[in-house]
Amino acid sequence: MNTPTTQAALGQAAIAPPPPTSTVTLKINGVERHLQLAPWTSLLDALREYLDLTGTKKGCDHGQCGACTVLVDGKRINSCLTLAVMQEGADITTVEGLGTEDNLHPLQQAFVDHDAFQCGYCTPGQICSAVGLLTEGKAKTTAEIREMMSGNLCRCGAYTNIVSAIEEVLHSKNSELRR
Amino acid sequence: MSTTSYIGKPVNRVDGPAKVTGAAKYAAEFNVPHLAYGHIVSSSIAKGKITKIYADEILAIPGVLQVFSHENVPSLAWFDRSYKDDVAPGGSPFRPLQGNEVKYSMQPVALVVAETFELARYAAALLRIEYEVTKHDTDLETKRDDGFEPGRGKTGWVPPPKPRGNPDKELKNATHRVEGEYIHLAQHHNPMEMFASTVEFLGDKKLNIYDKTQGAFNSQQYVMKVFGLSKDEAHVVSQYTGGGFGSGLRPQYQLFMAVLAALELKRSVRVSMTRQQMFSMGHRPHTLQYVELGTNPDGSLAALHHHALHETSQFEDYTENVVNWSGMLYQCDNVKLTYQLAKIDVYTPQDMRAPGAATGSFALECAMDEMAYAAGIDPLEFRLRNYAERDQNLKREFSSKKLRECYHEGAAKFGWEKRNPEPRSMRDGDLLVGWGMATGVWDASIQKCAASATFTADGHLTVLSGTNDIGTGTYTIMTQIAAQTLGLPLEAVTFKLGDTNQPEAPLQGGSWTAASVGNAVKQVCDKLGEQLLKLAQKMEGSPLKGAAYEDVEFVNGQIRLNADINQAVVIRDILPASGKDKLEAENTMLPNPINQLKNSLHAHNAVFVEVKVDPELGTLHVTRVVNAVAAGRILNPKTARSQVLGSVVWGISMALMEESVMDHGFGRYMNHNYSEYHIPVSADIHDIDVIFVEEEDDKVNPLGIKGLGEVGLLGVAAAVANAAFHATGKRIRNLPVSIDKLLL
Amino acid sequence: MNSFTYTRASGVEAAVREKAADNAVKFIAGGTNILDLMKENVERPSRLLDLNHLPLKAIEAAPDGGLRLGALATNADTAWHPEVQKRYPLLNQAILAGASPQLRNMATNGGNLFQRTRCYYFYDTATPCNKREPGSGCSAIGGYNRIHAILGTSEQCIATHPSDMCVALAALKATVRVSGQNGERTVKFENFHRLPGDAPEFDHTLAPDELVTAIDLPNEDFSQHFSYLKLRDRQSYAFALVSVAAALQLDGNTIKEARLALGGVAHKPWRDQQAEELLKGQPATEDTFRKAAAAVVSSARGYGHNTFKIELAKRAIVRALKQAAEGTQHASDIFTNSNP
């Protein structure tokens, strides 16, 4: 009855040495950062493990949750599914670049006011995604905001308040609020 | 007017700014110097023995530091009790990397530690492992006749009460009778933050352990017992937890692995699970339930039988209260409640939000709907007719029970009276509209809890208790309680948690945290208040001289006489005047045993749901939910509402999406990721109304708190399924209510 | 993830040359699928060649009056391009039905064509899979196959193609422009992807050295009567159980021209030309649509968990054709087709 089997996720190929590192320059929140990175480092891991910018979260590492959302050249993307080396020359904004605890970005303030989170782990991704949504300017109605925020899972189920927070900023008469 | 009256006010989360800016640090985010990374290797087989691990092949790669497996793990604690945590069920806890036996698919079988995360991941994927495979058995459906009644379960588990009356006979004689089997597969908690531990090695055996957990002390005790460390050596910190839902109630295996590697390698190590590995641990068990109900001619319940069988592992007997609720939610004199486990080759199930009750209420509340239809009574009216005025399980009075008000207020808000009971009778254009409702009940518990408070000469109050905030709002409500107790502005109060150097608090679970920590914070602040009063009375010309603590109030930064509020001392002035730089108090809050034993302590809810179903395509949308909750005093309606909103999302998720699907050929969950294990996205969530019914209760605990973490979830899945029946005429007893089941 | 080196391609010809020289080279563009698969150890390239800096981002008029979509234009830029919205709203709706805004900002048009299946077993190296390890067996047949194919399956593989965009491209009769060592050629969309047969490891028909440079949309007008209907287990951010791209040209109530393609049901975007022929010349009525739907699923086969897809596909086809005839979908809308 007992049958032998072998496990090796990468198969039985000959073992290649780890890839060499090179200097990678990333522009993050307006600051140029120089890193020694191998090509297999994702933008997400570069932020979290090499730059201590841990505001960007890892919720799945496979583009299935949106917790790692950052803005690249103003557009929201999943930082887990791009390599850091691919982003040389791009302008990257993380949650740390939006506001500080003493000077919150209007969306950050709206998230606090509407209690648009509980555990807080998906929150930076939600906020970066919402910044992207406002820049895109496509979503206008509640249903459209819901659809266009559907790339960001929230296991605490804070969706109702997330949508309210975004609506407040979207409909704010003060355009400065939507900076 | 009091400006320092915070309890019951919708205060913004005090930890909000840290969370929205990314400043809040979770377990995997402490980038301590000289950190090594561990990557876990999960077994590809469900059962068998490891016969060989080719560790040498990957140790040859520069930068790979060690491969830990059963072959080289040092001798650790021997007895099962050393591996038992606060909520360990009966049996022998799983011991990672100790022994060559594989007991379930995706069992952690090795830890590869390397200089970088990417290298550890690479080497782990290269690691060759040979197994002898033996036949596994993972299908609960084949175990229907192998159920057994568990012996002693985990803390908090109560065996079903003995049958009362003559349920078999009364079911036979009932005017109307329904029966049905209700099924759901395993569900995994899947908090957004994946399990991780960063262990900072401080030399010798001294460790700072940043752990994802719902109980820093639980993790600490586990590490101390397993690795033979002192309290001082195993310092555990857990200030932010990215979601728990019960998954963090037991130490997960990455904690063991990170501590092991740090001690062996004498350096700091981080181990994080992958999302896939989040399916290799505890879960809500696959459960089969049978409910049989009968009514008398007047629509009262004649008899009730509720049976549950759920899976457990081969090594532990996981238990949860599935059927007990059915003996207390409705008035019924003939009740039989039975509960069994069956062993299969999976990991031990684990408490998942409203464990047992979410499961049991789904079956009972669907059956109640079926019964109402069989008896020709409106489902809400049927519940009101069978309202339980006292707890028949415990034979006690409820300390408070405002479920009737939940029904009335919820129904009014929802517009239930406009419901046409006939299935398929209500429409919105081409869509079928269904309205369903259900009820839930959950324990209002309280646990022993310690807290300390320090008031410094600068007027700042710091309160400590080593609890957790898994998103529940603990930071905020404790700050509110402390500030109000000592009459200080919120800004002058800091509440700290999640550190084993703080006074010990219970696990964050069971909906008991608000009551346990809240009353502990209140007590310790009162203790500090008494000291402040004494000092204030010594101040020159103090108007408070001779006043007892009961004679004064702490309001607006002052201590003032109740009799004449103009007679006051500014609290900030007290320490400078007395020449002290701080005042300290420490206290352990013990629940009042008499109140706990004399009364039945429970929170209740009533849920009303609207669904719209496309009759041709079988698509279903939950378009409206009203959840009316009676849970004692609501400390902060803003964070409380969020908890109930989240509970509703969980209920919708349970009803429509969640299932961990096992391929029994492999004994492996196949949808082990966020792409195929569906939870709702924003587009799935429409209008949700939360109502908190006023419920004063001075018996449940001094602050009258019942807890909100679980009660809001109860009944939601059943209400969705009942609404789906009302819309379509189709009774779906097998969750989730998915498109394929609605279609055919 | 395996060990690999990374270079940026300096030009289309150079990229083709490098790929031809070494079969272990893989192209990377948006990265959303290949990096996911590399983290699962399913894709194991020893070298990644980054195409992102090639000049293939333009969306411009094609010589025949159609529209040329650069291979490196992102899905989002394509969906929201004014010409796409105006002339090819079906494509706009299909793209917006897929993935998430973040992924659509990354994923490219070329990359979308190379998306690999979401079959659970393909993704899990602990289980046999003929697509991943030819000859190892198909675990989905006889296993858990709720998301699997009902059309064009083989004994070797019942995986589906996961793309939404490609379903619309199939319906719109797009042409794929390809560069290889032997120069440029065009591939009809229906010939781009393949059925599994006895070689499920191959998803498409391109030679290893070939690179997609653009996708051409023909100069045809389906901008008034179209529908992309996507049915899935949640409202958004989920792969299709069944999706339907329907496009009609009507003369009064008579169908002049019809296009019908399905997603989530086969190893390739499933365009059914026989069903299209059944629709042509017929009145745009439910009865006509039912006949077409019946024709599409006449050769369908269920494998247990996925058998419901046969009936679901039938009903979805009727609904999509109805919506197309009524002209209820609009390109300016954010895709919420299955919302109440």
Side-chain angles (χ1 to χ4, degrees):
Chain A
M1 188 63 240
N2 295 3
T3 47
T5 188
T6 305
Q7 164 179 357
L10 264 179
Q12 308 282 337
I15 293 178
T21 62
S22 62
T23 304
V24 178
T25 303
L26 296 175
K27 191 174 171 199
I28 298 165
N29 301 326
V31 181
E32 285 211 341
R33 308 287 294 262
H34 307 283
L35 294 167
Q36 276 300 123
L37 290 180
W40 63 12
T41 299
S42 68
L43 176 59
L44 173 62
D45 289 327
L47 294 171
R48 286 171 65 84
E49 308 298 339
Y50 295 82
L51 291 164
D52 201 27
L53 288 169
T54 53
T56 307
K57 305 301 184 195
K58 185 184 279 190
C60 72
D61 214 15
H62 289 275
Q64 299 164 357
C65 78
C68 67
T69 303
V70 299
L71 299 152
V72 172
D73 297 329
K75 290 181 177 169
R76 45 178 165 161
I77 67 150
N78 298 119
S79 63
C80 72
L81 288 186
T82 190
L83 300 172
V85 285
M86 291 165 69
Q87 299 303 333
E88 278 214 281
D91 202 343
I92 298 155
T93 305
T94 70
V95 71
E96 289 93 345
L98 296 178
T100 61
E101 287 185 68
D102 300 327
N103 181 26
L104 296 177
H105 181 282
L107 265 168
Q108 291 172 321
Q109 186 63 54
F111 267 60
V112 173
D113 292 340
H114 288 266
D115 208 37
F117 52 88
Q118 292 181 47
C119 81
Y121 198 78
C122 74
T123 311
Q126 300 275 3
I127 291 172
C128 285
S129 191
V131 171
L133 176 143
L134 293 178
T135 312
E136 290 156 14
K138 306 290 185 197
K140 301 276 195 313
T141 66
T142 306
E144 289 171 345
I145 294 172
R146 284 179 185 146
E147 168 60 32
M148 294 301 266
M149 284 302 292
S150 284
N152 293 80
L153 302 188
C154 170
R155 184 53 157 162
C156 296
Y159 298 125
T160 307
N161 293 343
I162 291 169
V163 173
S164 307
I166 295 170
E167 282 184 323
E168 184 196 310
V169 179
L170 177 68
H171 301 310
S172 163
K173 294 232 162 37
N174 183 354
S175 62
E176 172 58 21
L177 208 61
R178 286 179 269 128
R179 68 185 176 187
Chain B
M1 207 192 98
S2 163
T3 56
T4 54
S5 167
Y6 296 110
I7 295 176
K9 300 282 162 62
V11 169
N12 278 353
R13 265 171 220 265
V14 298
D15 50 337
K19 283 177 173 172
V20 297
T21 54
K25 291 251 182 213
Y26 298 79
E29 299 174 350
F30 292 85
N31 289 326
V32 298
H34 202 46
L35 186 65
Y37 292 80
H39 199 89
I40 301 159
V41 181
S42 307
S43 74
S44 61
I45 67 162
K47 195 170 188 172
K49 281 188 166 38
I50 304 166
T51 52
K52 189 154 177 58
I53 295 186
Y54 293 87
D56 289 347
E57 291 180 358
I58 63 167
L59 282 168
I61 305 172
V64 176
L65 300 169
Q66 184 55 289
V67 178
F68 292 101
S69 72
H70 68 283
E71 292 182 348
N72 63 356
V73 162
S75 116
L76 296 167
W78 179 250
F79 293 107
D80 276 342
R81 64 166 181 269
S82 301
Y83 294 83
K84 289 215 178 211
D85 55 87
D86 284 359
V87 291
S92 302
F94 174 68
R95 304 181 183 193
L97 308 184
Q98 293 177 68
N100 63 351
E101 211 181 325
V102 175
K103 297 173 177 174
Y104 68 101
S105 186
M106 292 185 75
Q107 173 180 319
V109 290
L111 178 76
V112 178
V113 185
E115 292 289 349
T116 67
F117 164 73
E118 296 85 351
L119 185 58
R121 179 177 62 187
Y122 173 51
L126 288 166
L127 184 62
R128 281 201 295 148
I129 301 176
E130 285 178 3
Y131 302 97
E132 282 282 326
V133 184
T134 44
K135 195 176 167 338
H136 61 261
D137 192 352
T138 51
D139 192 356
L140 184 68
E141 292 282 353
T142 66
K143 298 284 176 184
R144 285 170 183 269
D145 299 329
D146 301 333
F148 64 94
E149 277 154 31
R152 250 184 44 213
K154 66 173 195 299
T155 318
W157 178 69
V158 184
K162 290 204 173 63
R164 59 177 181 252
N166 196 338
D168 292 338
K169 185 175 142 224
E170 293 303 325
L171 279 168
K172 219 171 283 164
N173 296 339
T175 312
H176 298 284
R177 199 184 65 85
V178 293
E179 61 180 320
E181 189 180 50
Y182 302 85
I183 300 172
H184 67 76
L185 297 185
Q187 300 163 5
H188 282 79
H189 308 75
N190 275 305
M192 291 299 300
E193 182 198 13
M194 299 181 287
F195 274 90
S197 304
T198 303
V199 177
E200 183 178 17
F201 185 77
L202 300 170
D204 204 10
K205 282 159 77 180
K206 204 167 155 42
L207 309 174
N208 271 341
I209 302 166
Y210 302 94
D211 190 33
K212 176 184 171 74
T213 175
Q214 289 173 244
F217 288 95
N218 197 29
S219 295
Q220 183 188 41
Q221 283 296 319
Y222 177 84
V223 168
M224 284 165 60
K225 289 188 291 184
V226 171
F227 293 95
L229 302 183
S230 69
K231 217 168 151 31
D232 187 46
E233 288 166 331
H235 174 219
V236 178
V237 177
S238 173
Q239 287 163 340
Y240 291 98
T241 302
F245 317 112
S247 63
L249 291 175
R250 303 190 70 182
Q252 297 298 348
Y253 56 77
Q254 94 291 339
L255 172 66
F256 171 93
M257 294 188 159
V259 171
L260 169 80
L263 289 172
E264 290 296 303
L265 299 174
K266 302 203 176 304
R267 77 180 269 194
S268 300
V269 177
R270 172 177 305 149
V271 180
S272 303
M273 286 193 197
T274 63
R275 179 54 61 187
Q276 287 70 11
Q277 286 164 342
M278 296 290 284
F279 290 78
S280 67
M281 39 180 259
H283 50 272
R284 196 190 296 285
H286 180 184
T287 307
L288 314 174
Q289 299 182 73
Y290 172 80
V291 182
E292 193 178 359
L293 301 175
T295 48
N296 296 312
D298 64 353
S300 61
L301 272 174
L304 179 158
H305 176 203
H306 187 174
H307 173 72
L309 168 74
H310 71 66
E311 57 169 277
T312 190
S313 65
Q314 300 286 1
F315 43 93
E316 284 175 312
D317 292 346
Y318 170 77
T319 52
E320 57 184 29
N321 300 326
V322 180
V323 297
N324 304 16
W325 318 98
S326 297
M328 63 172 296
L329 192 50
Y330 299 104
Q331 164 69 36
C332 185
D333 296 331
N334 302 286
V335 173
K336 185 165 77 176
L337 306 172
T338 51
Y339 173 69
Q340 292 188 320
L341 312 181
K343 287 181 175 295
I344 54 173
D345 295 311
V346 293
Y347 190 72
T348 310
Q350 185 173 333
D351 286 344
M352 178 161 152
R353 201 169 198 173
T359 302
S361 80
F362 164 66
L364 175 69
E365 289 298 288
C366 286
M368 284 294 286
D369 199 64
E370 297 190 41
M371 190 73 253
Y373 271 92
I377 309 171
D378 172 81
L380 173 58
E381 169 58 26
F382 181 54
R383 285 171 174 83
L384 285 166
R385 223 176 270 187
N386 289 285
Y387 195 81
E389 297 292 352
R390 67 193 301 262
D391 180 343
Q392 286 183 289
N393 278 358
L394 293 173
K395 302 184 182 65
R396 291 180 201 160
E397 301 304 317
F398 291 104
S399 65
S400 61
K401 178 177 174 179
K402 297 283 185 198
L403 176 57
R404 196 174 270 121
E405 287 75 2
C406 292
Y407 287 139
H408 291 318
E409 290 184 33
K413 180 101 190 176
F414 187 81
W416 185 259
E417 82 282 357
K418 293 198 274 292
R419 179 178 184 266
N420 180 340
E422 187 60 29
R424 298 181 77 93
S425 65
M426 293 171 65
R427 286 192 175 250
D428 171 12
D430 294 335
L431 300 176
L432 296 167
V433 175
W435 288 5
M437 56 92 50
T439 289
V441 55
W442 184 255
D443 304 311
S445 312
I446 187 164
Q447 308 277 327
K448 174 181 151 182
C449 181
S452 69
T454 306
F455 187 68
T456 45
D458 59 358
H460 200 87
L461 173 70
T462 304
V463 182
L464 311 179
S465 182
T467 180
N468 269 81
D469 187 338
I470 57 176
T472 39
T474 314
Y475 274 112
T476 310
I477 58 175
M478 296 311 150
T479 307
Q480 291 173 257
I481 292 170
Q484 177 163 330
T485 305
L486 289 178
L488 298 170
L490 274 188
E491 305 75 52
V493 180
T494 306
F495 177 74
K496 294 184 178 174
L497 54 70
D499 191 319
T500 52
N501 288 341
Q502 295 161 346
E504 185 163 347
L507 276 167
Q508 162 79 292
S511 289
W512 60 54
T513 300
S516 310
V517 186
N519 283 292
V521 166
K522 172 86 170 69
Q523 277 189 9
V524 80
C525 288
D526 276 330
K527 222 166 149 180
L528 196 73
E530 286 172 20
Q531 294 182 44
L532 277 167
L533 175 63
K534 272 184 200 144
L535 288 179
Q537 288 169 334
K538 286 181 194 156
M539 286 165 73
E540 209 180 303
S542 172
L544 306 176
K545 282 201 169 72
Y549 191 59
E550 293 70 36
D551 299 334
V552 300
E553 57 178 356
F554 288 67
V555 172
N556 297 350
Q558 298 177 328
I559 310 178
R560 61 194 197 191
L561 287 177
N562 291 331
D564 178 1
I565 61 170
N566 294 320
Q567 299 298 315
V569 168
V570 175
I571 297 171
R572 279 188 77 106
D573 296 342
I574 299 174
L575 288 192
S578 69
K580 287 183 188 288
D581 56 2
K582 63 176 175 184
L583 273 187
E584 288 172 300
E586 189 154 357
N587 183 61
T588 298
M589 186 281 304
L590 297 166
N592 179 333
I594 296 164
N595 278 348
Q596 295 293 308
L597 290 174
K598 237 173 73 183
N599 301 292
S600 173
L601 311 169
H602 288 93
H604 294 84
N605 76 329
V607 189
F608 299 82
V609 166
E610 176 185 86
V611 301
K612 291 186 181 172
V613 180
D614 187 314
E616 281 170 37
L617 300 177
T619 51
L620 181 149
H621 305 274
V622 177
T623 46
R624 215 152 55 84
V625 180
V626 174
N627 197 347
V629 179
R633 186 199 291 264
I634 301 305
L635 295 165
N636 181 333
K638 190 178 255 193
T639 56
R641 174 173 173 267
S642 293
Q643 265 195 299
V644 177
L645 288 174
S647 298
V648 171
V649 174
W650 266 65
I652 292 171
S653 191
M654 180 179 178
L656 302 183
M657 297 173 200
E658 286 188 54
E659 53 176 350
S660 298
V661 184
M662 169 104 41
D663 179 328
H664 294 297
F666 298 105
R668 191 172 176 91
Y669 296 115
M670 289 316 302
N671 57 337
H672 48 55
N673 56 61
Y674 260 155
S675 172
E676 300 300 337
Y677 184 92
H678 293 120
I679 60 170
V681 294
S682 197
D684 292 295
I685 302 306
H686 298 260
D687 296 345
I688 306 173
D689 258 316
V690 178
I691 297 171
F692 291 114
V693 169
E694 244 180 83
E695 189 178 65
E696 277 181 35
D697 190 333
D698 55 5
K699 299 190 189 92
V700 65
N701 54 63
L703 282 171
I705 302 165
K706 287 188 173 179
L708 273 176
E710 347 252 341
V711 68
L713 162 59
L714 302 173
V716 180
V720 172
N722 293 341
F725 169 76
H726 182 233
T728 64
K730 209 171 283 178
R731 192 57 84 173
I732 296 168
R733 302 187 182 92
N734 188 344
L735 291 179
V737 180
S738 47
I739 190 169
D740 45 326
K741 293 171 193 160
L742 284 166
L743 183 70
L744 301 171
Chain C
M1 186 183 282
N2 65 315
S3 177
F4 63 91
T5 58
Y6 166 91
T7 40
R8 288 185 174 181
S10 55
V12 171
E13 273 180 39
V16 165
R17 214 166 37 238
E18 288 185 57
K19 184 86 183 340
D22 181 359
N23 202 25
V25 169
K26 283 259 180 192
F27 294 140
I28 185 167
T32 54
N33 195 215
I34 193 169
L35 288 174
D36 177 26
L37 289 164
M38 286 168 69
K39 289 179 187 183
E40 300 280 10
N41 303 304
V42 173
E43 294 281 6
R44 307 154 188 182
S46 60
R47 196 174 141 204
L48 279 185
L49 195 54
D50 184 351
L51 305 178
N52 282 297
H53 300 269
L54 302 183
L56 301 173
K57 288 194 170 72
I59 296 175
E60 58 201 0
D64 73 338
L67 192 67
R68 179 162 296 172
L69 312 174
L72 289 169
T74 65
N75 287 178
D77 286 347
T78 305
W80 295 115
H81 192 278
E83 285 295 304
V84 172
Q85 287 198 59
K86 197 172 107 201
R87 297 174 60 196
Y88 305 97
L90 175 64
L91 179 62
N92 155 287
Q93 291 290 286
I95 294 175
L96 295 183
S100 70
Q102 291 95 313
L103 290 166
R104 297 194 293 264
N105 277 340
M106 306 172 78
T108 63
N109 294 334
N112 197 300
L113 270 51
F114 293 94
Q115 268 189 91
R116 308 211 67 189
T117 184
R118 307 301 303 193
C119 170
Y120 320 111
Y121 303 95
F122 174 71
Y123 259 81
D124 188 339
T125 57
T127 61
C129 167
N130 283 327
K131 185 179 276 298
R132 180 168 31 79
E133 299 288 344
S136 63
C138 174
S139 301
I141 299 174
Y144 180 52
N145 49 41
R146 184 165 187 272
I147 60 173
H148 288 75
I150 51 170
L151 287 163
T153 55
S154 77
E155 292 309 307
Q156 307 298 315
C157 182
I158 59 170
T160 60
H161 193 265
S163 170
D164 290 297
M165 180 183 184
C166 288
V167 182
L169 291 176
L172 292 169
K173 276 173 64 172
T175 308
V176 184
R177 301 185 67 82
V178 170
S179 271
Q181 281 203 299
N182 300 326
E184 294 203 356
R185 67 175 182 121
T186 57
V187 184
K188 282 185 175 174
F189 204 80
E190 65 206 68
N191 296 331
F192 187 88
H193 295 101
R194 57 184 296 283
L195 291 176
D198 53 10
E201 65 271 31
F202 299 111
D203 296 346
H204 56 81
T205 57
L206 292 197
D209 66 316
E210 287 183 311
L211 170 68
V212 171
T213 55
I215 300 160
D216 283 356
L217 299 174
N219 185 13
E220 290 183 301
D221 185 6
F222 289 99
S223 64
Q224 300 308 308
H225 296 285
F226 66 92
S227 172
Y228 192 72
L229 176 64
K230 181 174 181 179
L231 301 170
R232 41 189 159 174
D233 280 322
R234 65 182 173 199
Q235 276 312 289
S236 186
Y237 204 14
F239 291 95
L241 292 166
V242 169
S243 70
V244 181
L248 300 172
Q249 286 171 354
L250 297 179
D251 185 357
N253 196 39
T254 304
I255 300 169
K256 248 169 53 189
E257 179 67 46
R259 298 291 168 70
L260 189 59
L262 274 70
V265 296
H267 195 260
K268 60 185 283 188
W270 189 265
R271 183 174 160 219
D272 191 323
Q273 299 189 48
Q274 272 181 320
E276 291 172 1
E277 288 306 317
L278 279 178
L279 289 164
K280 275 189 220 169
Q282 299 299 311
T285 61
E286 186 151 336
D287 189 49
T288 304
F289 302 153
R290 282 186 194 287
K291 282 177 188 148
V296 173
V297 300
S298 60
S299 62
R301 174 186 167 188
Y303 289 82
H305 302 99
N306 71 346
T307 305
F308 75 96
K309 282 189 177 186
I310 300 173
E311 182 63 26
L312 186 63
K314 236 163 79 178
R315 298 189 197 178
I317 291 166
V318 174
R319 174 67 59 85
L321 286 166
K322 222 160 124 184
Q323 287 178 342
E326 289 165 2
T328 49
Q329 221 171 96
H330 307 283
S332 54
D333 292 348
I334 284 168
F335 183 86
T336 51
N337 190 356
S338 33
N339 264 330

